[in-house]
Amino acid sequence: MSSDVEKQLKNIVETVKFVLRDTRELSSKIQALEQDLADTRDRLIRAEEIRASGAVPVSPAIATSVGSEPDQLLDLPLAKVLDLYGEVPQILVPYCRRAVIDREQNPPFLERNSQGNYWVLQLRDQGLLLLPRPGAFNRLAALESLSDLFDCIGERREDGTDEFCVMEPARLTLIKRHQRWQLASKGKLQFGSAPLEHRWRQQLQQIEAYYAAITQTLENQGVAGLQIAIAQNNYAQELHQRYGSVKRVLVNTCMPMAYARYRDAEENAWLVPCSVQMVPMVKVYPAWDAGVPWETTQFDEAEIVRASVENSALPGQAFLRDGSQQTWAIANSYEEASTLIDKLIGKWGPLFEPS
């Protein structure tokens, strides 16, 4: 074979290789585009399903560029999310990232994993939440990790087949966006009852307690007191729908005044003004159905200290000192705050020794 013919054959082979390589690259790009189109179509379908169910995404459900991952948030109260989780958890799937627990860390870490037994989701202004993935806990190995993340009430079967309802989701802090989180506070699960049954029982108990309280108020305080009690109940329900359970109540130790704080995370905490009823009995309750951001209040940089054990009013009581001569005792509930004010009557004053 002459050198010229050999050279031409080599050129033809190189050309064929180039065309094949270019074709493979083009084929890969087409496949990627087809996959992206399919993903977009699926997201549109899920978005329409979510919209039809009443759940409204805060940020777009469709990524603006290939490879980017959007923040998919739910603009719903926590109570509504737990209702959906207990009745139709499929609705929450587009907003959840599956994760597995790393039990070697303390507190535990959660890492994103397509086979994970847990759901991580974020609610608008309510931080990162962790929920057990429905149907995942039918194996003992999976069931064992629950106690690391949730306080469990009620009897559990070893095979994990009994039903449970989420009383409080676990709370997370972000380590790596969309990929890694750390447990901030444990959640609470109730075993032995179906979610829908548990919710009905709760509502029935609330109605019975509300009726008893209204009857007692009407007998003791008349119609005017009853109107105040109804307003208090409405405020408390609205706050629970917006922010969840109250986390602490700050009681002024120098005068009958209080504020309630909702949510743990500093960047998501809200402060709600309270009313203080002194007669016929001391009672602290919310004075409004919404709050102001914690970070905008005088308490944001306040120091937490404790009163001396010799303090005549509240020995050893934890309190906030807001930079003035006033102090704010820290209670864990409205009932505890009412008890603190009852102890302060006749002993009003700051909980620190004047310098």
Side-chain angles (χ1 to χ4, degrees), residues 14-286:
E14 292 297 322
T15 302
V16 170
K17 288 182 179 179
F18 176 83
V19 172
L20 289 174
R21 184 170 60 251
D22 190 63
T23 302
R24 284 194 295 267
E25 291 177 355
L26 181 59
S27 177
S28 298
K29 291 179 180 179
I30 291 174
Q31 290 178 358
L33 289 173
E34 288 177 344
Q35 182 62 46
D36 186 66
L37 180 61
D39 292 344
T40 301
R41 188 183 299 110
D42 291 340
R43 288 171 180 168
L44 282 172
I45 293 173
R46 289 197 296 268
E48 288 298 326
E49 292 174 349
I50 295 298
R51 189 178 296 109
S53 69
V56 182
V58 175
S59 55
I62 301 174
T64 56
S65 61
V66 177
S68 64
E69 183 173 5
D71 286 322
Q72 299 188 42
L73 311 182
L74 276 179
D75 190 9
L76 287 176
L78 176 58
K80 180 61 177 176
V81 172
L82 294 182
D83 284 345
L84 291 173
Y85 175 82
E87 297 176 29
V88 279
Q90 297 84 355
I91 290 178
L92 300 176
V93 171
Y95 298 93
C96 297
R97 294 178 174 88
R98 290 175 63 168
V100 295
I101 183 175
D102 181 357
R103 302 180 70 184
E104 295 182 358
Q105 305 292 332
N106 187 24
F109 279 77
L110 280 301
E111 294 184 348
R112 186 168 181 177
N113 188 300
S114 61
Q115 304 301 315
N117 293 321
Y118 296 95
W119 278 355
V120 177
L121 73 158
Q122 186 171 6
L123 304 184
R124 184 180 184 183
D125 298 327
Q126 298 182 62
L128 288 159
L129 310 179
L130 183 72
L131 296 167
R133 183 172 65 83
F137 294 90
N138 55 0
R139 304 184 312 276
L140 181 59
L143 192 62
E144 288 176 345
S145 66
L146 275 178
S147 59
D148 295 322
L149 303 170
F150 295 89
D151 292 324
C152 300
I153 303 172
E155 295 294 328
R156 290 186 291 172
R157 298 177 185 172
E158 289 191 353
D159 60 2
T161 57
D162 56 342
E163 293 185 292
F164 64 85
C165 60
V166 178
M167 302 178 70
E168 285 286 341
R171 301 278 177 170
L172 304 175
T173 55
L174 180 65
I175 301 299
K176 183 178 180 182
R177 190 177 180 218
H178 302 323
Q179 298 296 327
R180 190 171 173 85
W181 309 267
Q182 187 174 28
L183 181 68
S185 61
K186 296 176 71 173
K188 184 182 296 185
L189 303 180
Q190 171 71 56
F191 277 83
S193 62
L196 189 58
E197 176 190 358
H198 178 76
R199 184 165 61 88
W200 285 346
R201 287 181 178 177
Q202 278 189 321
Q203 290 179 348
L204 181 59
Q205 291 173 355
Q206 290 172 356
I207 291 172
E208 291 174 344
Y210 186 38
Y211 176 77
I214 285 178
T215 302
Q216 188 67 38
T217 301
L218 186 59
E219 292 177 357
N220 296 338
Q221 302 179 38
V223 176
L226 178 59
Q227 292 175 340
I228 295 175
I230 292 174
Q232 296 171 11
N233 183 75
N234 290 339
Y235 291 156
Q237 288 187 349
E238 183 63 28
L239 290 169
H240 190 274
Q241 286 287 324
R242 289 186 178 186
Y243 309 131
S245 302
V246 64
K247 296 302 180 182
R248 66 176 67 165
V249 181
L250 306 179
V251 174
N252 192 310
T253 64
C254 300
M255 64 186 73
M257 179 186 299
Y259 289 96
R261 169 173 165 158
Y262 287 79
R263 298 186 186 153
D264 286 324
E266 296 292 338
E267 66 273 15
N268 292 317
W270 294 84
L271 196 68
V272 176
C274 296
S275 294
V276 179
Q277 171 186 296
M278 301 298 290
V279 290
M281 59 184 296
V282 176
K283 184 177 181 180
V284 179
Y285 55 89

